[in-house]
Amino acid sequence: MLMLSCASGFALGRDVGYEELPHSSVTSLETCGQWQIDGQSGRFRILQAYLYGGTMLFVDMVRPNARGTWLEVARGFTFAELNNDHLELELFDVRCSPNGTNSIVVTGRAELFESSSYSFTIEIDGAAGTYQMKTTAQ
């Protein structure tokens, strides 16, 4: 965790939010787990994108639109710890597993540009709209 705190300390950039994600920059998309909230249901998706010289990670919750003709985003998640436009972070071995209804766990490894690396675990609670991230230096 110390490493991530230090990395954020000298990253002068800004956090890139889910709303800013240009779909043309998505390099990987994985469906993982289901959610059911307030009579609506859908799936979680893990998106990796190449932006600002590095890899960024996003998660969204999608559901069928009213006509059932395509998917629409119900909620999007960004991770300030990973998605800084000056970090030049590379992500490896990103995996996702369902953690019951409305929850998933995302794991992977991150490597700072020409620097150190760490592994991360993100627990996402779709119903609450929150996440918790843990990191371990490697």
Side-chain angles (χ1 to χ4, degrees):
M1 181 109 70
L2 177 62
M3 177 184 302
L4 189 57
S5 298
C6 292
S8 297
F10 50 81
L12 301 175
R14 63 181 181 78
D15 299 334
V16 177
Y18 177 86
E19 314 74 44
E20 299 177 64
L21 173 63
H23 294 293
S24 60
S25 66
V26 173
T27 58
S28 173
L29 184 143
E30 176 186 350
T31 302
C32 172
Q34 298 182 13
W35 60 270
Q36 186 171 7
I37 303 168
D38 297 331
Q40 299 180 28
S41 61
R43 297 189 149 276
F44 288 94
R45 297 187 309 185
I46 311 308
L47 300 95
Q48 291 184 65
Y50 189 78
L51 293 166
Y52 303 107
T55 309
M56 295 189 186
L57 182 69
F58 302 89
V59 170
D60 62 17
M61 297 167 60
V62 294
R63 63 181 172 224
N65 70 345
R67 294 183 184 167
T69 54
W70 69 78
L71 296 176
E72 63 185 12
V73 176
R75 175 179 281 151
F77 292 87
T78 189
F79 308 102
E81 299 88 345
L82 300 174
N83 295 353
N84 183 292
D85 67 352
H86 285 171
L87 274 182
E88 296 182 359
L89 195 66
E90 291 301 322
L91 302 178
F92 302 96
D93 303 324
V94 175
R95 302 201 193 302
C96 176
S97 58
N99 193 25
T101 304
N102 301 330
S103 181
I104 60 171
V105 175
V106 179
T107 60
R109 291 185 307 114
E111 184 175 298
L112 294 167
F113 179 70
E114 296 183 0
S115 186
S116 54
S117 63
Y118 58 91
S119 60
F120 61 88
T121 300
I122 307 170
E123 295 180 24
I124 300 169
D125 181 337
T130 60
Y131 72 90
Q132 292 185 330
M133 181 178 292
K134 298 174 187 165
T135 61
T136 304
Q138 293 186 329

